[in-house]
Amino acid sequence: MYISKIAEGPAEGGASLANVQGTLATLASGLDARFVEAGGALAQAYQIVETLVKSLEGVTSALDREAADAAVQDMRAIADRLTRLPAMQSRRQEALVTIGGAGEALRTPMAQFHRTLRFLRICGLNIKVAAAGAAEFSGFADTMFEKIDVAEEQMSSFGQEIDGLSSGISEALEAEKLLADECTRVIPEVPMRLDRDALALQDHQARLGELAVRIAQVAREIRTRLATALGALQIGDITRQRLEHVVTGLSTMDAALREASGLAAEDITLIEEHILALLAAQAADAVEEFRSQARILAQSLRAIGPQATALLALKDDGKDGGGAQGDGDDDHVLHVLERSIEEVRSVTGRLQQADELSDRLGTATSATAESLGRRIAAVQRVKNDVQQMAWNTDLRCRRMGADGQGLAMIATEIRNFSNHLEMLTNGISGTFEQLVDAAAEMRAQAESAGKVDAGKALTASLDCVRDGGDRMREGLSGLDRDAATVGDILRQTTENVDCDAEIGDALGEAVTQLAAAAGDPAMLPEAPPAALGEILAAIHASYTMASEREVHKRFALAGGVAEMEEAPAQGDDDDDDDGLF
């Protein structure tokens, strides 16, 4: 009758194989619970860090560097224009004075022009009287009246346009005076400070982006290490399975020997020693691998802790000098910008008002100058026509002899008045050129001013730095809490997986006892008992790990299952215990 070693046989140190079997099963179960809990905790830590990485990546993509650079360029352009404003204003005032002076200078020759036209009209009436109704001379007088009507209409419109132009000069000069007062108050100190503030804003935005990148980089490194640690936690499940297979192997051996019949005592001893040696080797290999990998895993987890601390250090560095949260540097930058913008706001408001007036006046001056040019050309044509008619009348009068002397005297007067018109027209043309030059200067001032709304540009600059700070604060709002949570998780997980003293020693003792029960197995005979091959085949069928099969080969019978089958290819699903670190 077979008496089971598992049930009754004492192992070395007084423990039965049944106790060793129970110990291995209990330790495997407890080991699995520890590593399952560790896996859940690390998964939580991974999710926390993953959220932080996505948040910071959102910050770096949301910090619109193009918008920030555009805001800086606007600020510096405004500062530059404010610095050049006194010289620009001086040229604009000169142009305004020229336009106003030209308007006044035109009034006298225009009045004389109208007076000369009235004399010409009287001369036309005198021709009609002196010609005593002669059709030829009456027709000449009527034509001259038509020309005079055209000239009077052109000069009347000319005067209205000059009056309209002159009326805007006083408003523009008043705006320039107020602007000059503001310039005296803030230039050059404020634009110089605004230029410095623009550079500070540019540097601040760059530091925000760099800090977000640095923190995200550390967070990604932590995420990678956590992912590796999650994969390495397989060693717990692997060890559990291998120990369970050892426990199952003991039961398989016991059941097979109980059911076997006709085995000699020496065959039973041979089978028991061989199977126990196999299971002891499997357990020893599993425990050795577990203790080695668990130590490496614990060391890896401890190495992640300083990186979590580094996140907080980066944040604190940013707060002190880079504006991580905006509590320090952000508020300082905002305060400085707001102060500068407030001081610039009044002068830019005056500047915008003066620019608008200058733009309108320049446009009006250009339009007036073009219109005056057309009207002067029309008046010159009238003057030329009247002169030509006067010469023709004089020639006809000379052919009439004594009868034409009276008409000839009137024609001479007409010719004298037309010459006077030419002199007046030339004078008006000279003043007109001054208007053209002044209009060109006004247009040049308007073009140099550009179309940037200074108030809006400065407000946009302020909003830009506010937006960057808000996004950074939002991205790092929970960093303190999250880093502390990850640190706590890592400490607890490290304690769970670093269980060599608590579990490793007990596993080692159980393996020692199992090896002692196996003793020093004798050499197998050339024809071992068939039951041994059946038990080895049954145990081999339970394996799920390549490492188990490798150990099994040392105990396989010639021509047995382990020898005949191919080892699994690298990367097989069974290779769960390979390449953990």
Side-chain angles (χ1 to χ4, degrees):
M1 178 180 178
Y2 167 68
I3 300 175
S4 174
K5 269 192 171 187
I6 295 179
E8 300 177 5
E12 187 176 322
S16 69
L17 283 178
N19 289 337
V20 173
Q21 187 178 24
T23 298
L24 289 174
T26 301
L27 291 174
S29 177
L31 185 67
D32 186 53
R34 279 176 176 266
F35 276 74
V36 168
E37 181 181 351
L42 285 186
Q44 180 187 357
Y46 182 90
Q47 187 56 49
I48 291 173
V49 176
E50 174 72 7
T51 301
L52 176 62
V53 169
K54 289 183 178 179
S55 176
L56 288 171
E57 288 174 347
V59 169
T60 55
S61 62
L63 288 174
D64 192 340
R65 295 300 299 275
E66 291 185 3
D69 290 344
V72 169
Q73 291 174 4
D74 285 344
M75 290 175 67
R76 299 196 71 182
I78 292 167
D80 178 65
R81 186 170 183 224
L82 290 177
T83 302
R84 294 184 292 109
L85 185 55
M88 294 168 60
Q89 188 188 24
S90 175
R91 291 194 297 272
R92 188 156 60 190
Q93 284 180 325
E94 290 176 1
L96 288 172
V97 170
T98 297
I99 293 172
E104 290 299 320
L106 285 171
R107 295 185 187 280
T108 298
M110 286 170 61
Q112 293 176 350
F113 201 98
H114 279 292
R115 183 167 176 268
T116 302
L117 290 177
R118 286 196 297 272
F119 283 133
L120 283 172
R121 191 178 294 277
I122 293 172
C123 289
L125 292 173
N126 288 337
I127 284 179
K128 279 196 170 190
V129 172
E136 183 180 4
F137 291 101
S138 293
F140 162 75
D142 291 337
T143 301
M144 189 173 70
F145 291 154
E146 292 175 1
K147 300 294 183 181
I148 290 172
D149 289 340
V150 171
E152 285 182 337
E153 180 183 356
Q154 292 291 339
M155 292 309 295
S156 295
S157 298
F158 192 111
Q160 291 172 3
E161 291 179 0
I162 290 296
D163 289 342
L165 190 62
S166 299
S167 65
I169 297 297
S170 58
E171 182 183 3
L173 287 173
E174 180 62 25
E176 291 292 339
K177 180 179 180 302
L178 295 175
L179 179 59
D181 293 340
E182 295 291 343
C183 289
T184 302
R185 184 174 66 85
V186 301
I187 296 174
E189 193 268 336
V190 169
M192 290 173 61
R193 188 169 68 239
L194 184 61
D195 186 67
R196 292 195 301 269
D197 293 344
L199 294 177
L201 169 61
Q202 191 173 40
D203 182 59
H204 175 75
Q205 290 292 95
R207 288 200 308 270
L208 279 181
E210 290 170 2
L211 182 63
V213 169
R214 288 167 61 199
I215 294 178
Q217 182 177 358
V218 174
R220 280 192 289 270
E221 291 174 359
I222 294 176
R223 181 181 62 181
T224 300
R225 286 179 176 268
L226 286 172
T228 302
L230 278 167
L233 284 174
Q234 292 179 85
I235 190 60
D237 183 58
I238 291 169
T239 305
R240 174 189 61 78
Q241 290 186 55
R242 294 190 68 179
L243 293 178
E244 287 177 348
H245 296 162
V246 171
V247 171
T248 301
L250 288 170
S251 299
T252 299
M253 180 191 72
D254 184 56
L257 290 178
R258 285 182 183 278
E259 294 174 0
S261 60
L263 283 175
E266 57 271 20
D267 289 338
I268 292 175
T269 300
L270 177 70
I271 292 172
E272 286 181 333
E273 289 178 349
H274 191 80
I275 297 299
L276 289 176
L278 166 63
L279 297 177
Q282 291 283 15
D285 187 70
V287 171
E288 180 183 0
E289 181 69 11
F290 166 73
R291 298 182 81 166
S292 172
Q293 296 298 328
R295 282 194 297 270
I296 296 174
L297 176 58
Q299 291 170 1
S300 298
L301 291 175
R302 289 191 184 96
I304 301 177
Q307 288 185 305
T309 304
L311 286 178
L312 296 177
L314 281 174
K315 179 184 177 185
D316 291 338
D317 288 346
K319 187 189 299 184
D320 294 338
Q325 280 188 294
D327 296 338
D329 199 48
D330 263 359
D331 288 346
H332 174 69
V333 170
L334 287 173
H335 175 71
V336 170
L337 280 177
E338 284 174 341
R339 185 183 64 185
S340 295
I341 289 173
E342 187 59 35
E343 290 183 340
V344 171
R345 196 179 300 280
S346 60
V347 68
T348 55
R350 300 290 186 193
L351 178 59
Q352 186 171 357
Q353 180 184 3
D355 282 346
E356 290 173 354
L357 285 172
S358 177
D359 194 23
R360 290 202 304 269
L361 195 57
T363 301
T365 302
S366 296
T368 300
E370 292 176 3
S371 177
L372 293 182
R374 292 192 299 270
R375 297 188 189 285
I376 289 173
V379 169
Q380 286 177 331
R381 287 194 296 273
V382 169
K383 179 264 300 178
N384 292 335
D385 290 342
V386 170
Q387 281 184 329
Q388 185 64 41
M389 287 187 294
W391 282 110
N392 290 336
T393 300
D394 188 55
L395 290 174
R396 290 188 182 93
C397 291
R398 290 181 184 280
R399 288 197 297 267
M400 292 173 63
D403 293 336
Q405 289 181 356
L407 289 171
M409 292 177 60
I410 298 173
T412 300
E413 287 295 323
I414 292 174
R415 196 165 53 252
N416 291 336
F417 283 128
S418 65
N419 290 335
H420 189 57
L421 281 181
E422 182 175 16
M423 182 189 67
L424 293 174
T425 303
N426 291 337
I428 291 173
S429 297
T431 305
F432 162 74
E433 293 299 329
Q434 295 178 2
L435 277 176
V436 171
D437 293 341
E441 180 63 29
M442 297 293 284
R443 284 197 304 272
Q445 293 297 318
E447 290 171 0
S448 67
K451 297 301 181 183
V452 176
D453 187 324
K456 288 183 179 179
L458 293 175
T459 301
S461 301
L462 195 60
D463 290 343
C464 182
V465 70
R466 274 203 187 99
D467 180 66
D470 289 345
R471 291 182 184 276
M472 197 66 170
R473 277 193 293 272
E474 182 179 350
L476 299 179
S477 60
L479 183 57
D480 291 337
R481 179 191 65 252
D482 292 342
T485 301
V486 170
D488 291 341
I489 290 174
L490 289 172
R491 282 189 293 274
Q492 183 61 44
T493 304
T494 304
E495 292 175 3
N496 281 340
V497 300
D498 190 14
C499 53
D500 189 54
E502 184 177 351
I503 294 179
D505 291 344
L507 284 172
E509 178 63 24
V511 171
T512 300
Q513 293 173 359
L514 190 58
D520 188 11
M523 292 289 294
L524 291 175
E526 290 185 5
L532 177 58
E534 294 172 358
I535 295 171
L536 286 172
I539 292 174
H540 186 275
S542 70
Y543 295 151
T544 55
M545 310 293 170
S547 54
E548 291 177 304
R549 298 186 183 94
E550 288 299 318
V551 173
H552 191 94
K553 284 180 182 180
R554 305 202 307 264
F555 298 88
L557 301 179
V561 174
E563 262 192 11
M564 290 186 294
E565 72 173 8
E566 291 285 340
Q570 187 175 5
D572 244 348
D573 292 340
D574 292 342
D575 255 345
D576 291 337
D577 58 342
D578 291 340
L580 291 177
F581 293 93

